[in-house]
């Protein structure tokens, strides 16, 4: 690259900033302990995975053979036979959620999309883009969907083919919607297969639940029709990416022939990132299932450590089962900004990712919050 000295200096300064902040994104669920250096050489090529990895595309520089392996891995992880599944490596959890909603809308064009108030903000955008009718459902105190309210709203809309967007780990509190209860209650109101669609947004927890002893139901074996997971969250990647898995028979409904690439296509975008496919492939081959279990167990232990430490200081912190998201009362804006915390109304959270090898950063943050709480109390006592 032909950069001026000033521009080189700008990049150098940004490099220093990144090094400084690399491991301190504690408010957001991004794993930072990845090493994809063996893939750097592929940045010399304009790789592109446009279209379906099952096809022989005319665009030769693709990483389709690796994408196939990735999809085989996730089909097994999410309990669907590879032959019955189809999915692809996306630009992130949002694209996977959009793909799931798109499939559902093609199956049930006049139906309503039901999602809880704790659902990620991008889902309202998806409903708008796809011009889907949508209905907001109440949540329980822990953040999971209130199934009674969901059923009442489905009955009220007299919706015989509801599309349910289930959170498998909400953004703010890691709450998992009760898939088993939803399906049981649908049956009780005489809505049974194949007359509903269940999409699972498993952005973070999709790479947690397969590796714990008592996972909440969330897979195809539990009745899900499609699942989206983020690649840059628990797996870890320098580029946002994700994986979506759906049922092949539903995907075939939206598949079209594209003569320009001489292949079939059913993905959301045209050009697709082939480098992130290589990253996902490397990541899944870098850890055995036992090693993933150990990574997840470490994160869960760290989350419980944080809860205990908060509680010992009299601060009401909590977490949902199998969640690495620790929820606590919002600190002052000064502390939230300093530690880059995600805050939603009265609540904030920290997320214990695998790169938190020791408790040092967690201790530092909790100590700052304890002092902050004391200052807030003193301030309210004087005013
Ligand atoms: C529950 C949930 N769904 C969807 C998303 C969006 O995922 P992405 O950022 O990978 O597009 C997030 C991101 O934080 C999330 O927490």
């Amino acid at each position: 690259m032909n950069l001026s000295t000033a521009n080189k200096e700008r990049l150098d300064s940004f490099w220093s900033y990144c090094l400084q902040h690399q491991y301190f994104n504690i408010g957001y669920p991004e794993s930072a302990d990845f090493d994809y250096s063996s893939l750097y050489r592929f940045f010399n090529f304009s790789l592109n995975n446009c279209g379906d990895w099952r096809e022989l595309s005319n665009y030769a520089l693709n990483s389709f053979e690796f994408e196939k392996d990735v999809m085989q891995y996730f089909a097994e992880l999410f309990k669907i036979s590879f032959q019955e599944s189809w999915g692809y490596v996306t630009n992130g959890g949002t694209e996977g959620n959009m793909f799931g909603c798109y499939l559902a809308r093609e199956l049930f064009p006049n139906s309503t999309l039901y999602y809880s108030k704790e659902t990620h903000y991008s889902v309202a955008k998806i409903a708008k883009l796809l011009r889907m009718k949508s209905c907001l459902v109440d949540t329980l105190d822990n953040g999971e969907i209130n199934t009674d309210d969901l059923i009442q709203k489905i009955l009220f809309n007299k919706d015989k083919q509801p599309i349910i967007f289930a959170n498998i780990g909400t953004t703010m509190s890691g709450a998992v919607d009760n898939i088993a209860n939803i399906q049981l209650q649908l049956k009780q109101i005489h809505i049974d297969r194949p007359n509903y669609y269940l999409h699972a947004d498993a952005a973070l927890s999709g790479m947690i639940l397969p590796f714990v002893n008592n996972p909440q139901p969330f897979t195809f074996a539990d009745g899900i029709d499609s699942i989206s997971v983020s690649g840059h969250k628990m797996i870890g990647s320098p580029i946002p990416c994700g994986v979506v898995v759906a049922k092949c028979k539903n995907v075939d409904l939206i598949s079209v022939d594209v003569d320009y690439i001489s292949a079939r296509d059913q993905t959301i975008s045209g050009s697709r990132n082939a480098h992130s496919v290589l990253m996902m492939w490397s990541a899944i081959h870098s850890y055995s299932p036992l090693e993933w279990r150990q990574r997840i167990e470490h994160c869960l232990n760290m989350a419980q450590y944080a809860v205990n430490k908060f509680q010992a200081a009299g601060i009401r912190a909590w977490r949902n089962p199998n969640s690495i998201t620790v929820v606590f009362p919002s600190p002052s804006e000064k502390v939230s900004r300093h530690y880059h915390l995600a805050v939603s109304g009265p609540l904030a959270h920290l997320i214990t990712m695998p790169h938190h090898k020791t408790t040092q950063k967690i201790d530092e943050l909790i100590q700052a919050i304890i002092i902050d709480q004391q200052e807030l109390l003193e301030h309210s006592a004087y005013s």
Side-chain angles (χ1 to χ4, degrees):
M1 265 195 281
N2 189 19
L3 291 178
S4 66
T5 309
N7 281 334
K8 278 184 190 152
E9 279 170 7
R10 271 189 78 180
L11 284 181
D12 288 345
S13 138
F14 183 54
W15 168 253
S16 305
Y17 172 88
C18 292
L19 281 179
Q20 191 195 338
H21 290 87
Q22 187 175 13
Y23 296 119
F24 205 56
N25 225 353
I26 199 162
Y28 296 88
E30 318 290 326
S31 283
D33 63 345
F34 49 79
D35 174 11
Y36 294 116
S37 46
S38 60
L39 300 178
Y40 292 172
R41 58 197 153 141
F42 293 103
F43 281 111
N44 289 315
F45 308 116
S46 180
L47 301 181
N48 196 324
N49 277 15
C50 47
D52 182 344
W53 50 265
R54 289 176 301 187
E55 306 269 328
L56 255 186
S57 168
N58 267 4
Y59 192 86
L61 274 182
N62 64 57
S63 59
F64 280 171
E65 61 170 292
F66 296 92
E67 192 165 15
K68 180 182 178 193
D69 287 2
V70 172
M71 297 322 301
Q72 215 151 4
Y73 179 91
F74 280 95
E76 194 177 324
L77 202 66
F78 297 152
K79 301 196 175 146
I80 180 168
S81 83
F82 184 51
Q83 288 69 28
E84 283 175 282
S85 74
W86 189 82
Y88 68 101
V89 176
T90 62
N91 285 312
T94 305
E95 184 181 336
N97 286 335
M98 187 171 197
F99 185 77
C101 292
Y102 176 36
L103 284 181
R105 194 205 61 186
E106 292 303 286
L107 273 177
F108 305 132
N110 299 313
S111 296
T112 306
L113 178 70
Y114 295 85
Y115 58 89
S116 86
K117 290 179 173 162
E118 287 293 318
T119 300
H120 192 260
Y121 68 91
S122 58
V123 178
K125 285 195 281 186
I126 291 171
K128 221 171 175 179
L129 282 165
L130 293 173
R131 290 182 174 268
M132 295 172 85
K133 273 185 289 176
S134 62
C135 179
L136 216 49
V137 181
D138 284 338
T139 50
L140 305 177
D141 287 345
N142 72 334
E144 77 179 68
I145 199 165
N146 180 335
T147 310
D148 293 341
D149 189 50
L150 169 70
I151 296 296
Q152 265 182 16
K153 284 176 171 153
I154 289 173
L155 280 171
F156 180 77
N157 287 335
K158 297 196 173 56
D159 218 329
K160 289 297 176 201
Q161 294 173 323
I163 300 167
I164 296 150
F165 185 100
N167 285 306
I168 304 301
T170 55
T171 308
M172 245 353 252
S173 67
V176 176
D177 293 348
N178 191 330
I179 299 300
N181 192 22
I182 290 172
Q183 292 181 94
L184 184 72
Q185 291 209 35
L186 283 174
K187 210 178 183 123
Q188 285 165 356
I189 59 167
H190 309 294
I191 297 181
D192 214 336
R193 289 293 179 188
N195 288 322
Y196 61 87
Y197 190 99
L198 211 42
H199 173 78
D201 175 4
L204 172 64
S205 298
M207 263 320 264
I208 295 178
L209 296 182
F211 303 105
V212 300
N213 288 335
N214 292 304
Q216 293 93 325
F218 83 105
T219 67
F220 288 87
D222 302 309
I224 284 296
D225 292 295
S226 47
I227 299 184
S228 169
V229 62
S230 297
H232 52 285
K233 293 196 165 78
M234 181 48 79
I235 301 171
S237 144
I239 300 170
C241 61
V243 170
V244 65
V245 188
K247 292 178 177 170
C248 199
K249 62 174 192 216
N250 294 336
V251 173
D252 287 341
L253 295 175
I254 59 162
S255 188
V256 289
D257 281 312
V258 184
D259 59 358
Y260 181 62
I261 54 171
S262 179
R264 287 183 78 69
D265 184 28
Q266 51 273 342
T267 59
I268 298 275
S269 58
S271 291
R272 293 197 299 114
N273 194 324
H275 293 282
S276 54
V277 167
L278 294 179
M279 286 166 198
M280 291 298 97
W281 184 88
S282 302
I284 60 176
H285 286 92
S286 295
Y287 300 103
S288 67
L290 176 64
E291 286 166 330
W292 276 118
R293 275 185 170 266
Q294 289 165 342
R295 276 169 78 73
I296 302 301
E297 194 181 351
H298 170 74
C299 297
L300 289 165
N301 289 341
M302 288 296 227
Q304 191 53 43
Y305 169 86
V307 170
N308 295 345
K309 189 150 180 145
F310 269 123
Q311 289 183 350
I315 295 174
R316 276 181 296 110
W318 53 278
R319 71 185 179 96
N320 273 301
N322 293 326
S323 170
I324 61 171
T325 303
V326 175
V327 186
F328 52 89
S330 297
S332 67
E333 200 182 332
K334 184 181 75 178
V335 169
S336 303
R337 281 206 179 278
H338 183 77
Y339 290 93
H340 307 289
L341 295 179
V343 174
S344 176
L347 299 179
H349 67 205
L350 65 85
I351 306 180
T352 51
M353 299 305 289
H355 58 268
H356 295 118
K357 309 274 186 235
T358 70
T359 60
Q360 189 203 335
K361 299 283 185 199
I362 298 167
D363 290 339
E364 207 181 289
L365 169 62
I366 294 177
Q367 192 53 33
I369 290 171
I370 292 170
I371 294 169
D372 185 63
Q373 291 278 317
Q374 283 163 352
E375 282 174 3
L376 284 175
L377 273 176
E378 280 165 22
H379 188 259
S380 61
Y382 285 119
S383 55

